[in-house]
Amino acid sequence: MANVVIVGTQWGDEGKGKIVDLLTRHADYIVRFQGGNNAGHTLVVDGKQYIFHLIPSGILYEDKLCFIGNGVVLDPGVLLDEMQELSDSGLPVTPKRLVISERAHLIMPYHNVLDAGSEAAKTKGSKIGTTGRGIGPCYGDKILRCGIKAGDLLDPDLFREKLEENVKNKNRIITGEFNGTPLKVDDIYSQFQKYAEKLAPFIDNVSVKLDQGRKAGKHILFEGAQGTQLDIDHGTYPFVTSSNVIAGNACTGSGFGPSHIDAVIGILKAYTTRVGEGPFPTELFDGTGDELQKKGGEFGATTGRKRRCGWLDAVVANEAVRLNGITGMAITKLDVLSGQKTLEIGTSYQAAGKTFTAMPGNIRTAQQLQPVYEKLEGWTEDISGMTSIDDLPRKAKDYVKRVEELTETPAMIISVGPGREQTILLKNPFEK
């Protein structure tokens, strides 16, 4: 038995979906523990692309059980659309394959309206770059203790009572601050009762089921969304997501005891990308950045937005190692660096005459950071078909080794392409 957490080490989009898919074959349970449909995991299996926003990536394996934990904020319409798309692809999602936590909070129509209105009202320099999917307002209601949970769908009277109070309060903001059209309780109630009919068989106590699985010797894989620098507490605030994305929340967001976690795998893209606004010290504004963007196919899986690209940032990587307790790295998209004559890795920052070896908490300072680079020789060989570390060109192996040295963390997986087969597995975290 082993319990493994997968986290992103940068600003998300590191290729977590593929690594989760790879490791799922060794797991019995796969758990999504935070975030919402503002995140997207892209998988390529037998040449076919799948993009998931809420359902754990492990759903492609018919003999696995997937869980959506209490730390997730759930848009029922989006979830049902994903389930339908999978069914249309010959992979029907049943309660024997997916369990939804009764404690997961629901994204309501007013959350989307408030999210869009709030972002639109901000001045240009203060915009966050939100996806507008209602994630932040939903988490806000959770903290304010007025949220509606998945389990409330099973109690129509309680659901209506909570809905009426929320719509009354939200309409004051929608009509007063945003000059919008008030929402109608009956319309929302009717729609969500339809959702309830379809989702009721899936809703259960995830914490209890995970503990039962642990005691039965099941291998459990915890799947995070976004990346460490988007963590609400430890990221480049306020240019972050609205949940804790680091490994500690795998336990909080699923109801699983922390003493039962055996390994934490950090997904590290061989270069760095970021979607939306916020600091990005190693960002490239030249032809190299454009080349990485095009060759890496760097577009957001959820929004389709073009990703900003830059060199690997070892400061950010080390932040992730420290904050998550990472025990091994999965280095992704190493193949995208092929053809670069010289590679650079940011090893520290300079700002206002000071040297920084950690991301500063002051956002203005973070926006002024200038990276200090270490240069390495690149390689020209196409590595996308290589299946062993020994096959890699010496300079590619040198790059991997330097990443291990800078992060003081071993590489366990190296991805050299988007397909399942384009992966070099150095060590399986489920094998102790």
Side-chain angles (χ1 to χ4, degrees):
M1 178 194 76
N3 305 307
V4 178
V5 180
I6 299 288
V7 293
T9 62
Q10 297 155 315
W11 280 279
D13 308 310
E14 300 96 349
K16 294 182 293 298
K18 176 188 172 178
I19 303 304
V20 170
D21 175 66
L22 173 74
L23 295 178
T24 291
R25 69 186 65 176
H26 306 287
D28 301 297
Y29 293 174
I30 302 89
V31 187
R32 171 79 182 273
F33 62 84
Q34 52 79 218
N37 59 301
N38 58 336
H41 288 171
T42 303
L43 306 178
V44 178
V45 181
D46 296 329
K48 183 174 181 178
Q49 185 181 78
Y50 297 85
I51 298 177
F52 299 118
H53 301 284
L54 287 169
I55 296 179
S57 304
I59 201 70
L60 294 181
Y61 290 83
E62 297 186 48
D63 60 339
K64 311 296 181 180
L65 181 56
C66 294
F67 296 85
I68 294 177
N70 57 274
V72 174
V73 287
L74 192 64
D75 185 319
V78 172
L79 177 62
L80 287 168
D81 284 346
E82 283 191 26
M83 292 167 67
Q84 185 61 52
E85 288 175 11
L86 282 164
S87 181
D88 292 343
S89 297
L91 291 169
V93 180
T94 69
K96 292 183 178 181
R97 300 187 63 217
L98 177 68
V99 181
I100 301 168
S101 172
E102 62 187 355
R103 299 175 186 270
H105 280 246
L106 299 177
I107 295 176
M108 306 298 294
Y110 45 78
H111 291 138
N112 300 80
V113 176
L114 293 172
D115 201 1
S118 177
E119 182 76 353
K122 291 183 172 70
T123 58
K124 185 176 181 180
S126 62
K127 290 184 182 294
I128 302 299
T130 175
T131 59
R133 307 295 169 89
I135 309 300
C138 184
Y139 276 117
D141 277 1
K142 178 178 180 177
I143 300 303
L144 290 171
R145 294 167 292 187
C146 62
I148 299 177
K149 298 184 291 184
D152 297 335
L153 289 172
L154 309 181
D155 186 335
D157 292 336
L158 176 61
F159 180 87
R160 175 129 194 157
E161 180 183 319
K162 286 187 171 186
L163 178 64
E164 288 178 348
E165 184 68 18
N166 272 290
V167 170
K168 179 178 69 175
N169 292 331
K170 307 314 184 197
N171 274 342
R172 293 195 192 102
I173 302 172
I174 292 169
T175 59
E177 293 187 26
F178 301 146
N179 196 30
T181 303
L183 300 177
K184 297 179 180 179
V185 170
D186 287 343
D187 291 346
I188 298 174
Y189 181 79
S190 176
Q191 182 63 62
F192 274 73
Q193 285 309 295
K194 294 177 183 176
Y195 292 154
E197 291 176 10
K198 295 180 179 179
L199 293 178
F202 296 86
I203 298 171
D204 209 330
N205 190 320
V206 165
S207 177
V208 168
K209 286 190 170 296
L210 290 179
D211 198 53
Q212 290 172 343
R214 177 188 66 83
K215 290 176 179 177
K218 301 293 186 183
H219 293 301
I220 305 176
L221 181 63
F222 294 86
E223 173 185 17
Q226 288 100 18
T228 299
Q229 286 298 321
L230 292 178
D231 186 272
I232 186 69
D233 284 303
H234 303 286
T236 48
Y237 187 91
F239 302 99
V240 293
T241 193
S242 300
S243 61
N244 288 111
V245 308
I246 62 174
N249 198 31
C251 298
T252 309
S254 64
F256 195 74
S259 62
H260 305 313
I261 299 297
D262 298 295
V264 179
I265 307 303
I267 315 302
L268 180 74
K269 192 179 288 185
Y271 49 100
T272 311
T273 61
R274 179 167 195 165
V275 172
E277 306 298 325
F280 185 178
T282 63
E283 184 173 8
L284 292 167
F285 299 95
D286 57 10
T288 301
D290 292 338
E291 186 178 347
L292 292 175
Q293 194 277 327
K294 291 175 183 177
K295 190 173 181 180
E298 297 296 354
F299 293 92
T302 298
T303 63
R305 289 182 293 183
K306 183 178 178 180
R307 294 173 185 151
R308 301 151 64 189
C309 295
W311 293 122
L312 182 65
D313 189 329
V315 178
V316 164
N318 277 305
E319 289 264 299
V321 170
R322 183 182 77 248
L323 291 167
N324 294 286
I326 290 173
T327 55
M329 288 287 192
I331 300 174
T332 60
K333 291 197 171 182
L334 186 65
D335 55 299
V336 176
L337 295 182
S338 294
Q340 295 293 334
K341 185 177 180 180
T342 303
L343 303 172
E344 299 188 37
I345 300 177
T347 56
S348 64
Y349 308 134
Q350 295 285 334
K354 296 181 180 179
T355 298
F356 294 85
T357 56
M359 185 67 72
N362 183 300
I363 192 61
R364 290 184 177 176
T365 303
Q367 290 171 322
Q368 297 168 2
L369 297 172
Q370 296 297 316
V372 176
Y373 285 116
E374 175 180 309
K375 295 186 178 183
L376 294 87
E377 289 186 67
W379 61 92
T380 58
E381 296 91 335
D382 178 6
I383 65 173
S384 61
M386 297 181 180
T387 57
S388 168
I389 186 72
D390 297 326
D391 296 336
L392 292 176
R394 180 183 59 80
K395 292 173 183 177
K397 287 188 282 190
D398 288 345
Y399 187 80
V400 171
K401 182 179 179 182
R402 188 60 184 139
V403 172
E404 291 179 315
E405 292 171 347
L406 288 169
T407 60
E408 298 181 349
T409 307
M412 300 179 74
I413 300 168
I414 300 173
S415 174
V416 294
R420 273 180 178 171
E421 72 286 354
Q422 294 175 292
T423 312
I424 300 171
L425 181 61
L426 302 176
K427 182 181 179 182
N428 185 346
F430 283 103
E431 296 176 355
K432 295 183 179 180

